[in-house]
């Protein structure tokens, strides 16, 4: 988790949308709450993207979907009251005022749609990796699951920091023993952006871009929480990584 926090913190100071969403995922306590926050971001920006922005349309401040009222209990619980939630709302394009937030009239419709696509990508990445992480915990002992997730975090962090470390030889023993040979390990390895090269395979190359990297590290940092939540849903059974 510390590795995820450090990696995301290096990019969040520019407050790009992926950075804000990544930091929010890292800082929110539970995986379930992080998922709800992402889903809420998606709903908010999708409604703004659907607003008529023609010259004859009223200004955004008069459209209920472009205004977030302060004091909304549901919005506060799901997003604004969560760590990093307000920063994420601002990164979506909302401006804070005395009554809450209103969407920035100066953001062009195409840019709004682009931000919506970024949120959808973040939400898809989170759910896709969550499924793989839960499978990893389900199919292995707690120690094996943790070791696989830890090593994968190291690989992704090193690859992003140093282009020379974006390639891992197929004969790498740690990769083979701690990730590829454990249940669900290969699926998670490829889900985070590694691609097999050669036939037979000679090496694996990491091909994730910056947006993918930020969201991947943030989500991998939630592995323990995901396993614990999965075990709780099953009454304490299953979710090997969460014991």
């Amino acid at each position: 988790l510390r590795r995820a926090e450090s990696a995301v913190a290096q990019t969040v100071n520019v407050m790009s949308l992926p950075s804000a969403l990544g930091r929010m995922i890292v800082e929110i306590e539970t995986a379930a709450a992080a998922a709800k926050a992402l889903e809420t971001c998606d709903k908010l920006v999708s409604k703004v993207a659907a607003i008529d922005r023609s010259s004859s349309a009223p200004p955004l401040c008069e459209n209920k979907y472009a205004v977030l009222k302060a004091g909304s209990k549901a919005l506060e619980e799901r997003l604004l009251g969560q760590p990093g939630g307000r920063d994420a709302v601002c990164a979506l394009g909302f401006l804070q005022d005395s009554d809450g937030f209103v969407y920035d009239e100066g953001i062009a419709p195409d840019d709004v749609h682009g931000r919506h696509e970024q949120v959808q990508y973040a939400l898809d990445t989170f759910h896709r990796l969550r499924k793989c992480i839960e499978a990893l915990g389900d199919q292995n002992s707690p120690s094996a699951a943790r070791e696989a997730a830890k090593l994968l975090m190291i690989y992704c962090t090193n690859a992003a920091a140093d282009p020379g470390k974006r390639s891992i030889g197929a004969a790498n023993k740690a990769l083979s023993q701690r990730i590829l040979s454990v249940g669900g390990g290969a699926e998670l390895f490829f889900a985070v952006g590694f691609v097999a090269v050669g036939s037979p395979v000679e090496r694996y190359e990491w091909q994730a871009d910056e947006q993918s990297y930020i969201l991947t590290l943030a989500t991998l940092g939630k592995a323990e929480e995901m396993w614990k939540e999965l075990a709780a849903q099953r009454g304490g059974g299953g979710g090997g990584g969460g014991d």
Side-chain angles (χ1 to χ4, degrees):
L1 179 57
R2 289 195 185 94
R3 187 178 293 269
E5 290 174 340
S6 176
V8 174
Q10 291 176 14
T11 55
V12 76
N13 57 350
V14 298
M15 289 315 299
S16 69
L17 183 52
S19 296
L21 295 175
R23 189 178 76 171
M24 182 178 71
I25 293 171
V26 168
E27 294 185 347
I28 290 178
E29 184 176 358
T30 69
K36 287 182 180 179
L38 285 173
E39 290 163 0
T40 303
C41 286
D42 181 49
K43 290 179 181 178
L44 293 178
V45 74
S46 68
K47 289 179 179 179
V48 176
I51 294 174
D52 178 10
R53 300 286 298 277
S54 64
S55 57
S56 59
L60 284 180
C61 62
E62 296 180 10
N63 189 298
K64 65 178 182 179
Y65 294 126
V67 177
L68 308 180
K69 293 292 185 181
S72 170
K73 184 177 180 180
L75 189 58
E76 190 72 21
E77 290 179 351
R78 296 175 66 92
L79 182 58
L80 294 179
Q82 295 291 343
R86 290 178 179 270
D87 287 339
V89 166
C90 291
L92 290 176
F94 287 90
L95 302 173
Q96 190 165 7
D97 62 17
S98 58
D99 296 323
F101 294 84
V102 61
Y103 205 80
D104 186 352
E105 189 89 42
I107 299 178
D110 285 347
D111 193 6
V112 179
H113 285 286
R115 297 183 191 208
H116 184 210
E117 290 176 357
Q118 287 183 319
V119 176
Q120 287 183 313
Y121 179 81
L123 188 57
D124 175 71
T125 298
F126 184 86
H127 285 312
R128 178 169 50 83
L129 294 183
R130 182 178 187 174
K131 183 178 180 180
C132 292
I133 290 168
E134 289 179 345
L136 180 69
D138 250 353
Q139 298 176 40
N140 300 282
S141 67
S143 59
R146 291 188 185 107
E147 283 299 308
K150 179 181 178 181
L151 183 58
L152 194 50
M153 180 81 81
I154 292 172
Y155 283 153
C156 291
T157 303
N158 289 346
D162 183 355
K165 294 182 179 180
R166 295 191 175 194
S167 179
I168 305 173
N172 184 289
K173 289 185 178 181
L175 171 62
S176 176
Q177 295 174 2
R178 293 167 58 184
I179 296 179
L180 299 183
S181 64
V182 302
E187 289 80 1
L188 182 56
F189 180 71
F190 293 121
V192 301
F194 282 96
V195 176
V197 177
S199 182
V201 178
E202 299 173 355
R203 65 187 185 279
Y204 300 95
E205 290 186 356
W206 187 72
Q207 297 183 359
D209 57 19
E210 181 181 352
Q211 179 181 7
S212 299
Y213 160 67
I214 292 171
L215 298 169
T216 293
L217 266 291
T219 306
L220 280 175
K222 277 282 179 287
E224 287 283 352
E225 287 85 353
M226 292 176 181
W227 292 326
K228 290 176 182 177
E229 290 170 20
L230 187 62
Q233 292 170 8
R234 297 172 175 174
D243 291 341

Short mmCIF file of all heavy atoms in Angstrom, two decimals, residues 166 168 189-190 193-198 201 203-208:
data_model
loop_
_atom_site.label_atom_id
_atom_site.label_comp_id
_atom_site.label_asym_id
_atom_site.label_seq_id
_atom_site.Cartn_x
_atom_site.Cartn_y
_atom_site.Cartn_z
N ARG A 166 11.10 -2.61 -18.13
CA ARG A 166 9.78 -2.95 -18.63
C ARG A 166 9.71 -4.36 -19.22
O ARG A 166 8.66 -4.83 -19.61
CB ARG A 166 9.33 -1.93 -19.69
CG ARG A 166 9.16 -0.55 -19.12
CD ARG A 166 8.47 0.40 -20.08
NE ARG A 166 8.21 1.68 -19.45
CZ ARG A 166 7.39 2.61 -19.96
NH1 ARG A 166 6.78 2.36 -21.11
NH2 ARG A 166 7.21 3.75 -19.32
N ILE A 168 10.75 -8.47 -18.68
CA ILE A 168 11.12 -9.52 -17.74
C ILE A 168 11.32 -10.81 -18.52
O ILE A 168 10.43 -11.23 -19.28
CB ILE A 168 10.02 -9.74 -16.67
CG1 ILE A 168 9.69 -8.42 -15.97
CG2 ILE A 168 10.47 -10.78 -15.65
CD1 ILE A 168 8.50 -8.54 -15.03
N PHE A 189 -1.29 -10.91 -13.83
CA PHE A 189 -0.06 -10.43 -14.46
C PHE A 189 -0.35 -9.80 -15.82
O PHE A 189 0.13 -8.70 -16.13
CB PHE A 189 0.91 -11.60 -14.62
CG PHE A 189 2.22 -11.26 -15.26
CD1 PHE A 189 3.17 -10.50 -14.59
CD2 PHE A 189 2.52 -11.72 -16.54
CE1 PHE A 189 4.39 -10.19 -15.18
CE2 PHE A 189 3.74 -11.43 -17.13
CZ PHE A 189 4.68 -10.66 -16.45
N PHE A 190 -1.16 -10.46 -16.62
CA PHE A 190 -1.49 -9.92 -17.93
C PHE A 190 -2.51 -8.77 -17.83
O PHE A 190 -2.49 -7.85 -18.64
CB PHE A 190 -2.03 -11.02 -18.84
CG PHE A 190 -1.00 -12.06 -19.20
CD1 PHE A 190 -1.20 -13.40 -18.88
CD2 PHE A 190 0.19 -11.71 -19.82
CE1 PHE A 190 -0.25 -14.36 -19.19
CE2 PHE A 190 1.15 -12.66 -20.13
CZ PHE A 190 0.94 -13.99 -19.80
N GLY A 193 -1.01 -5.26 -17.58
CA GLY A 193 -0.36 -4.68 -18.75
C GLY A 193 0.85 -5.39 -19.31
O GLY A 193 1.49 -4.91 -20.24
N PHE A 194 1.19 -6.58 -18.77
CA PHE A 194 2.32 -7.33 -19.33
C PHE A 194 1.86 -8.17 -20.52
O PHE A 194 0.75 -8.73 -20.51
CB PHE A 194 2.95 -8.22 -18.27
CG PHE A 194 3.84 -7.47 -17.31
CD1 PHE A 194 3.35 -7.03 -16.09
CD2 PHE A 194 5.16 -7.19 -17.65
CE1 PHE A 194 4.16 -6.32 -15.21
CE2 PHE A 194 5.98 -6.48 -16.77
CZ PHE A 194 5.48 -6.04 -15.56
N VAL A 195 2.71 -8.24 -21.53
CA VAL A 195 2.39 -8.95 -22.77
C VAL A 195 3.52 -9.92 -23.10
O VAL A 195 4.71 -9.56 -23.00
CB VAL A 195 2.21 -7.96 -23.95
CG1 VAL A 195 1.97 -8.70 -25.25
CG2 VAL A 195 1.06 -7.00 -23.65
N ALA A 196 3.17 -11.14 -23.49
CA ALA A 196 4.17 -12.14 -23.87
C ALA A 196 4.75 -11.80 -25.23
O ALA A 196 4.02 -11.44 -26.16
CB ALA A 196 3.54 -13.52 -23.89
N VAL A 197 6.08 -11.94 -25.37
CA VAL A 197 6.77 -11.65 -26.62
C VAL A 197 7.56 -12.87 -27.06
O VAL A 197 8.32 -13.46 -26.28
CB VAL A 197 7.73 -10.45 -26.46
CG1 VAL A 197 8.49 -10.21 -27.76
CG2 VAL A 197 6.97 -9.20 -26.03
N GLY A 198 7.39 -13.25 -28.32
CA GLY A 198 8.12 -14.38 -28.88
C GLY A 198 7.31 -15.65 -28.87
O GLY A 198 6.33 -15.81 -28.12
N VAL A 201 7.68 -18.13 -25.85
CA VAL A 201 7.82 -16.86 -25.15
C VAL A 201 9.26 -16.66 -24.68
O VAL A 201 9.85 -17.52 -24.03
CB VAL A 201 6.87 -16.79 -23.93
CG1 VAL A 201 7.07 -15.49 -23.17
CG2 VAL A 201 5.42 -16.93 -24.38
N ARG A 203 10.19 -13.30 -23.41
CA ARG A 203 10.13 -12.29 -22.35
C ARG A 203 8.70 -11.75 -22.26
O ARG A 203 7.85 -12.04 -23.10
CB ARG A 203 11.10 -11.14 -22.65
CG ARG A 203 10.75 -10.34 -23.90
CD ARG A 203 11.81 -9.32 -24.25
NE ARG A 203 11.43 -8.47 -25.37
CZ ARG A 203 11.53 -8.82 -26.65
NH1 ARG A 203 12.00 -10.02 -26.97
NH2 ARG A 203 11.16 -7.99 -27.61
N TYR A 204 8.50 -10.98 -21.21
CA TYR A 204 7.21 -10.30 -21.02
C TYR A 204 7.48 -8.80 -20.95
O TYR A 204 8.38 -8.35 -20.23
CB TYR A 204 6.53 -10.77 -19.74
CG TYR A 204 6.24 -12.25 -19.72
CD1 TYR A 204 7.13 -13.13 -19.11
CD2 TYR A 204 5.09 -12.76 -20.32
CE1 TYR A 204 6.87 -14.49 -19.10
CE2 TYR A 204 4.83 -14.12 -20.31
CZ TYR A 204 5.72 -14.98 -19.70
OH TYR A 204 5.48 -16.33 -19.69
N GLU A 205 6.74 -8.02 -21.71
CA GLU A 205 6.93 -6.57 -21.73
C GLU A 205 5.72 -5.86 -21.14
O GLU A 205 4.58 -6.22 -21.44
CB GLU A 205 7.17 -6.09 -23.17
CG GLU A 205 8.51 -6.53 -23.73
CD GLU A 205 8.78 -5.92 -25.10
OE1 GLU A 205 7.89 -5.22 -25.62
OE2 GLU A 205 9.89 -6.15 -25.63
N TRP A 206 6.01 -4.87 -20.34
CA TRP A 206 4.95 -4.06 -19.73
C TRP A 206 4.57 -2.93 -20.68
O TRP A 206 5.41 -2.15 -21.09
CB TRP A 206 5.47 -3.48 -18.41
CG TRP A 206 4.44 -2.77 -17.59
CD1 TRP A 206 3.40 -3.31 -16.89
CD2 TRP A 206 4.39 -1.36 -17.35
NE1 TRP A 206 2.70 -2.32 -16.23
CE2 TRP A 206 3.30 -1.12 -16.49
CE3 TRP A 206 5.17 -0.28 -17.76
CZ2 TRP A 206 2.95 0.15 -16.04
CZ3 TRP A 206 4.83 0.99 -17.31
CH2 TRP A 206 3.73 1.19 -16.46
N GLN A 207 3.31 -2.87 -21.08
CA GLN A 207 2.90 -1.92 -22.11
C GLN A 207 1.80 -0.98 -21.63
O GLN A 207 1.02 -0.47 -22.42
CB GLN A 207 2.44 -2.68 -23.36
CG GLN A 207 3.55 -3.51 -24.00
CD GLN A 207 3.12 -4.20 -25.28
OE1 GLN A 207 1.97 -4.09 -25.71
NE2 GLN A 207 4.05 -4.91 -25.89
N ALA A 208 1.73 -0.74 -20.33
CA ALA A 208 0.73 0.17 -19.79
C ALA A 208 1.18 1.62 -19.95
O ALA A 208 2.36 1.93 -19.85
CB ALA A 208 0.49 -0.14 -18.31
#
